Amino acid sequence: MALSLSAVASDAIVPADTPYPGTLAVKLDLTDAPKRVFRVQETLPVAQPGPLTLYYPQWIPGEHSPSGPINNVAGLTITASGRQLPWRRDLRDMFAIHVDVPQGASQLELSFQFLSPGEGGSFGASPSSTPDLVDVEFNQVAFYPAGHYTRQIRIQPTVTLPAGWQFATALETASSSGATTTFKPLGFDDFVDSPLLAGAHFNRVDLAPGGRTPVHLTVVADEAGQVKLDDRQVEQHRALVAQAEKLFGTHHYAHYDFLLTLSDHTGHFGLEHHQSSDDRLPADFLTDKSSYALMASLMPHEYVHSWCGKFRRPARLWAPDFNTTEEDDLLWVYEGLTDYWSGVLSARSGLWTPAQYRDSMAEIAASMSHRTGRAWRSLQDTADAAPLTYYGGGGWGNWRRGTDFYPEGQLLWLDVDTQIRALSGGKRSLDDFARLFFGMDPGSHVTRTYTFDDVVAALNQVQPHDWKGFLRQRLDYTGPELPEHGIERSGWKLVYDDKPSAFAKSMESLTHGANLAYSIGLSVSAKGEIRDVQWDGPAFKAGLVPGLTIVAVNGKDYSPQALKDAVTAAKGGSAPIELLVKNIDLYSTVKVDYHGGLRYPHLARAGGKDLFGAIAAPLK
């Protein structure tokens, strides 16, 4: 059977909001997941013979880029009535394949493997299985027919696990037999929105005991000792659920599952879903106090997304299927506002102390203050260009700018919050915006979209002001100064001294290096690899660039501490800091003329009312 030429170089298919006839079925065999092989059998009913286009999900919600891991799909065969059919990939769209349905066929059978990577990649294209656990984002393991809204395509999943493994997912169980579970049919969009976590070492904690709406935290790890929460950690996460409910006034899920993977052999990130979150952190997250404090805000961030991002979503970040291009211009709301509230809720729930919250904001303010790339790239452009900024590569992060709509987004919304509090004499705050904008339609799972003008209108409803001008002035600004002023309005100021905060120490411990961006002007690994250099800073002017390796400091072997000691010794003097540097196979001596000593950021009181304290206080 020969495919027509038009079938392999087709124009995009416009989806219709009409039901797809029949229910797809996908059987996912994870018994070889410890070997990083997911085996898939998918059945797709067909109503008529002729050309059919199948899509592999490309734009994955929450990843904000065309990141579907299609390169990890292998062994694809398509059969009908026992006969293997030829298929071809679209020449313009690598995520589309074309097949001709033969006469008399009532369904197609797809067979393929998803080969989970062993290293590298981001999000669902990063390592997602070990000998003791597996994370499945269902967009990895299913194709769908083009031409329909994905909410109009029904699918029934079945999953088989290695013997003895337990699982958690927002999917609802229909039946179980041994290691195989069949779930209730649901829309393809909800299927993709409901990841599964499974493993040999498993712990499930009730975060809403006695509540009407179930909320659970499930932990899976490579070792049994890594899945247990102590009593304090349980209470903090229960307080997170309670504080989020008070912040937004309602919720938009029938049940919610935090799916927490603790491993040093998977990717580390968080990905939001409407009724769950895929949270992946290092193995010692629950057992090491520094790691716990540093990364405690990840789950609050993904939880807030159930309201901000899933229930309410920027209009151009909503799409009828997973292969329609999305537009990221409002990510400073979707991600920036979520990041702001993740810090606030971390403080209100006790995951962070008020001092830890301030230390976090000090690190963000210092980092964003030293974003040399603000001279040419606005905060708005970091969002507009998200498919680039997420995958911008290493080095020159301060000059190129990356996904700054997260950290600077926090400063932007702190600016908004403190402005509302100042204008209203403390009677109103961003909490009122939370209940107004995200607390509508209690219990509804149906996404409601919004525009920039909708955000402005809601802010004006909370507190009249020129919010359009306020936001655009900060979003579109290019220049040397940080355009947000929420810290100052909070009664605090950013200062530097030679003593790192506990937060900064934990960050250096986690990243295994030294961050001297605010002094000598570089960050470097434990092995001496220069990760970033401040554009036009002291290290830059001496000729250092990302990718070089520092071998020696002032004639002695390099170590992060040796470099810090040299910066300290040079303070107030005139002798430069001498570094022996390796560039591939060439060695040279570089002299850095810097004499300001070590500089680490902190927040110090500047007078007036302490709005940070008010913002971090738990809601009653």
Side-chain angles (χ1 to χ4, degrees):
M1 181 184 297
L3 294 170
S4 64
L5 288 177
S6 61
V8 294
S10 62
D11 294 327
I13 298 173
V14 178
D17 195 6
T18 56
Y20 183 78
T23 298
L24 283 63
V26 62
K27 295 182 178 180
L28 177 60
D29 184 349
L30 294 172
T31 54
D32 279 338
K35 301 175 183 177
R36 300 195 290 270
V37 177
F38 307 172
R39 301 184 186 277
V40 185
Q41 299 287 329
E42 184 174 5
T43 302
L44 192 131
V46 290
Q48 60 187 25
L52 178 67
T53 298
L54 302 178
Y55 279 144
Y56 186 79
Q58 180 181 17
W59 284 83
I60 311 306
E63 298 187 16
H64 312 308
S65 61
S67 56
I70 196 167
N71 284 342
N72 298 99
V73 172
L76 176 63
T77 61
I78 303 176
T79 61
S81 304
R83 176 187 174 191
Q84 185 168 341
L85 305 177
W87 59 266
R88 283 200 65 177
R89 191 179 308 274
D90 194 279
L91 297 178
R92 296 174 183 155
D93 183 354
M94 298 290 102
F95 289 77
I97 63 172
H98 304 286
V99 62
D100 280 334
V101 178
Q103 288 284 347
S106 61
Q107 62 185 33
L108 300 182
E109 301 286 346
L110 282 66
S111 176
F112 61 95
Q113 302 86 44
F114 180 80
L115 307 177
S116 182
E119 60 183 5
S122 300
F123 297 112
S126 66
S128 56
S129 68
T130 76
D132 293 292
L133 60 85
V134 65
D135 296 289
V136 180
E137 295 282 348
F138 283 111
N139 58 275
Q140 298 168 332
V141 294
F143 289 80
Y144 68 94
H148 298 264
Y149 281 25
T150 47
R151 69 187 180 195
Q152 295 278 22
I153 301 171
R154 303 288 289 174
I155 187 168
Q156 182 163 36
T158 297
V159 176
T160 300
L161 295 172
W165 285 22
Q166 299 180 72
F167 73 87
T169 177
L171 296 175
E172 297 182 358
T173 298
S175 63
S176 296
S177 177
T180 299
T181 300
T182 297
F183 299 96
K184 295 179 181 179
L186 71 169
F188 195 91
D189 54 344
D190 290 331
F191 170 65
V192 168
D193 199 33
S194 305
L196 179 143
L197 169 62
H201 309 299
F202 184 97
N203 183 30
R204 187 166 169 84
V205 180
D206 187 353
L207 295 185
R212 295 181 181 179
T213 306
V215 180
H216 289 90
L217 167 59
T218 296
V219 189
V220 167
D222 289 319
E223 297 180 13
Q226 296 167 339
V227 302
K228 299 296 183 182
L229 286 77
D230 61 34
D231 291 344
R232 178 171 167 270
Q233 290 168 335
V234 171
E235 289 307 312
Q236 288 168 339
H237 285 89
R238 286 177 175 170
L240 166 63
V241 174
Q243 286 295 314
E245 186 82 13
K246 290 177 180 178
L247 173 62
F248 295 107
T250 188
H251 56 263
H252 303 284
Y253 48 78
H255 46 79
Y256 192 91
D257 287 89
F258 293 93
L259 306 176
L260 177 59
T261 301
L262 300 182
S263 175
D264 294 329
H265 309 293
T266 64
H268 294 147
F269 62 88
L271 189 61
E272 66 272 14
H273 300 276
H274 204 137
Q275 298 194 107
S276 64
S277 59
D278 182 355
D279 309 298
R280 309 187 194 183
L281 292 172
D284 66 354
F285 170 65
L286 293 176
T287 55
D288 181 81
K289 290 183 179 179
S290 294
S291 294
Y292 184 73
L294 187 63
M295 295 176 280
S297 65
L298 175 69
M299 285 190 287
H301 178 102
E302 305 308 335
Y303 188 41
V304 168
H305 270 318
S306 184
W307 291 266
C308 182
K310 304 306 289 186
F311 170 62
R312 296 229 60 183
R313 192 177 311 170
R316 287 180 287 192
L317 273 173
W318 181 92
D321 64 13
F322 298 107
N323 293 69
T324 297
T325 299
E326 297 178 0
E327 298 178 25
D328 294 323
D329 58 310
L330 289 178
L331 281 183
W332 53 273
V333 185
Y334 184 118
E335 295 291 1
L337 180 54
T338 295
D339 224 26
Y340 175 68
W341 273 326
S342 73
V344 170
L345 287 173
S346 293
R348 291 179 181 177
S349 64
L351 285 163
W352 280 346
T353 65
Q356 287 173 323
Y357 176 46
R358 292 195 300 272
D359 285 345
S360 169
M361 293 301 288
E363 289 292 331
I364 290 170
S367 176
M368 294 299 102
S369 295
H370 285 75
R371 275 293 191 261
T372 55
R374 182 176 290 105
W376 68 274
R377 188 174 217 166
S378 67
L379 175 60
Q380 180 65 68
D381 188 61
T382 69
D384 294 346
L388 303 176
T389 54
Y390 271 103
Y391 303 97
W396 299 122
N398 73 93
W399 180 238
R400 292 192 300 184
R401 306 196 73 177
T403 54
D404 286 355
F405 47 84
Y406 287 90
E408 192 172 337
Q410 284 204 51
L411 300 178
L412 175 66
W413 287 102
L414 174 65
D415 210 359
V416 173
D417 195 352
T418 55
Q419 182 77 316
I420 293 173
R421 292 170 188 264
L423 292 171
S424 67
K427 296 178 181 179
R428 287 175 291 279
S429 72
L430 200 63
D431 292 0
D432 296 287
F433 175 79
R435 286 183 283 275
L436 172 67
F437 203 66
F438 299 96
M440 61 182 65
D441 300 345
S444 173
H445 304 179
V446 179
T447 298
R448 291 190 56 157
T449 61
Y450 61 85
T451 65
F452 174 81
D453 288 341
D454 293 328
V455 174
V456 169
L459 287 171
N460 273 311
Q461 192 172 340
V462 171
Q463 175 60 52
H465 186 57
D466 178 18
W467 290 112
K468 182 176 181 180
F470 182 97
L471 292 170
R472 291 263 54 102
Q473 182 182 34
R474 289 152 176 79
L475 290 166
D476 300 331
Y477 172 81
T478 55
E481 304 298 328
L482 187 68
E484 294 86 21
H485 306 290
I487 288 176
E488 295 87 343
R489 203 180 293 113
S490 297
W492 294 77
K493 61 183 177 180
L494 182 64
V495 299
Y496 297 86
D497 63 24
D498 61 359
K499 297 291 188 287
S501 67
F503 198 91
K505 288 180 180 179
S506 296
M507 191 174 298
E508 287 195 337
S509 176
L510 179 69
T511 58
H512 305 292
N515 180 15
L516 303 178
Y518 317 130
S519 55
I520 194 173
L522 58 75
S523 60
V524 62
S525 76
K527 295 181 179 180
E529 299 158 342
I530 298 177
R531 291 167 170 161
D532 200 15
V533 172
Q534 290 294 120
W535 190 265
D536 245 0
F540 176 93
K541 291 176 179 177
L544 295 176
V545 297
L548 303 184
T549 300
I550 302 175
V551 177
V553 182
N554 288 342
K556 296 183 179 180
D557 285 343
Y558 164 82
S559 70
Q561 189 59 49
L563 181 58
K564 293 177 184 178
D565 290 344
V567 172
T568 299
K571 184 177 182 180
S574 58
I577 301 167
E578 292 194 3
L579 304 177
L580 179 62
V581 177
K582 181 181 179 181
N583 184 355
I584 305 177
D585 59 356
L586 297 178
Y587 291 80
S588 61
T589 297
V590 172
K591 297 182 179 182
V592 184
D593 189 19
Y594 173 75
H595 307 282
L598 295 172
R599 298 179 77 241
Y600 295 100
H602 305 270
L603 294 187
R605 284 288 277 130
K609 186 174 181 181
D610 175 13
L611 293 186
F612 260 120
I615 291 169
L619 298 177
K620 302 298 183 181

